[in-house]
Amino acid sequence: MNILVTGAKGMVGTALVNNLKNIKEGKNKTRPNIHINEIYEYDAESSPEELEEYCRKADFVFNLAGVNRPEKSEDFMKGNFGFASDLLDTLKKHNNKAGVMLSSSVQATLAGRFGNSEYGRSKKAGEELFFRYAEETGAPVYVYRFVNLMGHSKPKYNSAISTFCWAVANNEPFTVNDRSTELEVLYIDDLVEGMLDLLEGKEQHCDFDGVETVIKEDGKYCCVPVTHKVTLGEIVDLLEQFKQQPQTLLMPKMPNGSFAKKLYSLYLTYLPTEKFKYALKMNVDDRGSFTELVHTADCGQVSINISKPGITKGQHWHNSKWEQFIVVHGHGLIKERNINTGETVEFEVSGERIEAIYMIPGWTHNIINLSETEDLVTVMTCNEVFDSNRPDTFFEVV
């Protein structure tokens, strides 16, 4: 299959082309039904001759080209309708009935009904052009009306979320006019997966009831159903938590598939390179060091412990707190004793054979570096973040 992507250097085009290349080059093996020979990238700098060649050879076309911030309002129609017309005329010239996808907007739903923006009118005109093309040629056409897109794009341009991410990551000022304003957001990775579904013939169809998307098997339009409704206040509050994470170590809750998880990934792409790393507080003494790495809102913390040769650490027990000790370097011995029954257990541990050992509530425990020359390095997880006011930690030699 030869695939033409117009608008290939835009936010969506860049992400789609990168992922099509992963499939073409065998790096992404999750789409075994997609076989790609060539990917034709067309953008504003491309020549008319390239468009001719690509339209002659393409087996599928993703038309992502368009404008949303032109210098003149009349350029909306030229960029969003004019190029689409040129593209379809060129396909017809070569009698190429390849499937064509059109990137439209929910703002086309509002054109002529609740509003009359030049952008919405140009998108609506483009849709009607594509539907006529399908009737005239019999070529399959897939018109997608996208909601607000969230991906790495130029800040202070056409995405409030990108602007907020950039501003927070770079300590720049920004303004939120109304924290209660709600957006429906489609994340770029979900959009790309939707495009790959389309190539596999698994696209979702829908219609629009007013401005609401209604999933229908025989819907006139196509859509990516994985979207998130979130307020501007919720967005900026999350971003401020992300910004503070290097100081607090607290990682906000980010369940799989959640908006927060996707926003955090996007936020990181706006960090200046000097923020790619941050210092951690090492608690150092003559025995070694102990450093907290990550705190979580509901699963405790992760730390790294380094013990010098011959050193014993621990010698305490907990009522409810539990831990896991995972030695990743060196040679050591972990001892535990039940403070009520006196039962004991020992575990010889080594970075050559990585294992996780539970420190059980009610069992006093220690960890001993058996080496005379090497540090003992242990990853320690705990089910709660340490609270100096309620430490639940009581000294007692094993």
Side-chain angles (χ1 to χ4, degrees):
M1 176 186 290
N2 298 328
I3 298 175
L4 167 58
V5 180
T6 72
K9 293 183 180 179
M11 179 187 75
V12 177
T14 298
L16 179 60
V17 167
N18 287 342
N19 283 276
L20 290 174
K21 288 178 178 178
N22 284 340
I23 295 173
K24 178 178 182 290
E25 297 166 8
K27 299 173 183 177
N28 179 356
K29 301 184 185 301
T30 65
R31 299 283 182 162
N33 297 323
I34 301 177
H35 305 281
I36 301 175
N37 297 319
E38 298 293 339
I39 302 169
Y40 304 130
E41 301 178 47
Y42 184 89
D43 211 87
E45 294 77 21
S46 301
S47 67
E49 291 76 21
E50 287 174 301
L51 184 62
E52 287 279 348
E53 179 186 359
Y54 298 159
C55 285
R56 179 171 58 86
K57 295 180 178 179
D59 300 303
F60 195 92
V61 180
F62 288 101
N63 183 36
L64 308 176
V67 295
N68 46 35
R69 279 291 182 94
E71 293 183 2
K72 301 177 182 177
S73 60
E74 56 265 30
D75 288 341
F76 276 121
M77 194 63 71
K78 179 180 179 181
N80 293 328
F81 177 83
F83 174 76
S85 181
D86 292 342
L87 171 69
L88 298 182
D89 286 345
T90 308
L91 288 170
K92 283 194 287 188
K93 174 181 176 181
H94 295 285
N95 195 30
N96 187 342
K97 298 182 181 181
V100 187
M101 171 267 178
L102 171 66
S103 172
S104 187
S105 166
V106 290
Q107 290 198 38
T109 313
L110 306 177
R113 299 184 63 185
F114 306 103
N116 199 29
S117 73
E118 290 292 333
Y119 178 72
R121 288 177 56 235
S122 67
K123 286 296 189 181
K124 181 68 174 176
E127 292 178 359
E128 293 172 348
L129 178 69
F130 268 67
F131 287 132
R132 288 197 301 270
Y133 172 78
E135 292 176 359
E136 293 171 6
T137 65
V141 163
Y142 310 91
V143 176
Y144 282 77
R145 283 181 169 177
F146 292 132
V147 296
N148 297 282
L149 301 183
M150 183 175 82
H152 189 93
S153 60
K154 183 168 63 173
K156 298 191 288 186
Y157 184 58
N158 67 334
S159 168
I161 297 178
S162 290
T163 299
F164 294 155
C165 286
W166 167 81
V168 173
N170 291 273
N171 302 318
E172 295 286 345
F174 64 93
T175 302
V176 179
N177 293 323
D178 184 354
R179 286 176 53 88
S180 66
T181 298
E182 185 179 70
L183 302 179
E184 185 174 5
V185 177
L186 172 60
Y187 182 51
I188 187 64
D189 284 9
D190 294 321
L191 190 159
V192 168
E193 289 301 309
M195 297 303 95
L196 300 183
D197 284 342
L198 173 58
L199 287 179
E200 289 188 328
K202 299 186 298 186
E203 72 279 2
Q204 292 260 19
H205 288 264
C206 62
D207 272 334
F208 291 84
D209 180 12
V211 295
E212 294 295 323
T213 306
V214 182
I215 306 297
K216 296 178 67 175
E217 288 188 9
D218 59 347
K220 182 178 181 180
Y221 298 91
C222 295
C223 57
V224 179
V226 184
T227 62
H228 303 272
K229 291 186 176 181
V230 60
T231 66
L232 296 182
E234 291 169 336
I235 293 169
V236 296
D237 287 348
L238 277 170
L239 290 173
E240 289 296 339
Q241 291 181 52
F242 299 158
K243 180 178 181 179
Q244 294 303 317
Q245 194 276 330
Q247 287 75 46
T248 65
L249 301 184
L250 181 63
M251 194 67 68
K253 289 185 179 181
M254 293 185 286
N256 191 36
S258 67
F259 174 80
K261 183 176 182 179
K262 297 168 185 177
L263 182 66
Y264 192 57
S265 295
L266 179 62
Y267 165 76
L268 291 176
T269 68
Y270 288 94
L271 285 179
T273 54
E274 61 268 21
K275 288 188 178 181
F276 280 18
K277 69 172 185 177
Y278 58 90
L280 295 167
K281 181 184 177 183
M282 296 180 65
N283 301 288
V284 182
D285 58 27
D286 57 2
R287 301 175 303 157
S289 66
F290 179 80
T291 306
E292 296 178 50
L293 304 180
V294 174
H295 294 175
T296 68
D298 54 359
C299 295
Q301 68 181 46
V302 180
S303 308
I304 194 87
N305 182 76
I306 299 177
S307 299
K308 296 295 184 181
I311 291 296
T312 298
K313 286 190 175 183
Q315 307 287 42
H316 59 239
W317 62 277
H318 315 288
N319 279 307
S320 296
K321 185 185 297 185
W322 56 265
E323 301 164 298
Q324 284 181 320
F325 290 1
I326 305 167
V327 169
V328 295
H329 177 79
H331 179 210
L333 181 68
I334 293 173
K335 294 182 178 181
E336 299 186 59
R337 174 174 60 83
N338 188 307
I339 63 170
N340 295 312
T341 68
E343 181 182 357
T344 62
V345 64
E346 296 183 355
F347 303 96
E348 191 170 350
V349 289
S350 169
E352 299 296 321
R353 187 185 68 257
I354 297 178
E355 300 172 307
I357 313 296
Y358 280 114
M359 304 299 110
I360 308 297
W363 290 63
T364 187
H365 49 270
N366 64 22
I367 182 167
I368 306 165
N369 187 348
L370 298 179
S371 173
E372 296 180 354
T373 58
E374 288 191 317
D375 287 348
L376 182 69
V377 182
T378 308
V379 175
M380 296 182 172
T381 70
C382 182
N383 69 317
E384 60 186 51
V385 175
F386 181 75
D387 181 355
S388 58
N389 294 318
R390 295 179 60 86
D392 189 13
T393 302
F394 309 98
F395 176 79
E396 186 162 337
V397 174
V398 176

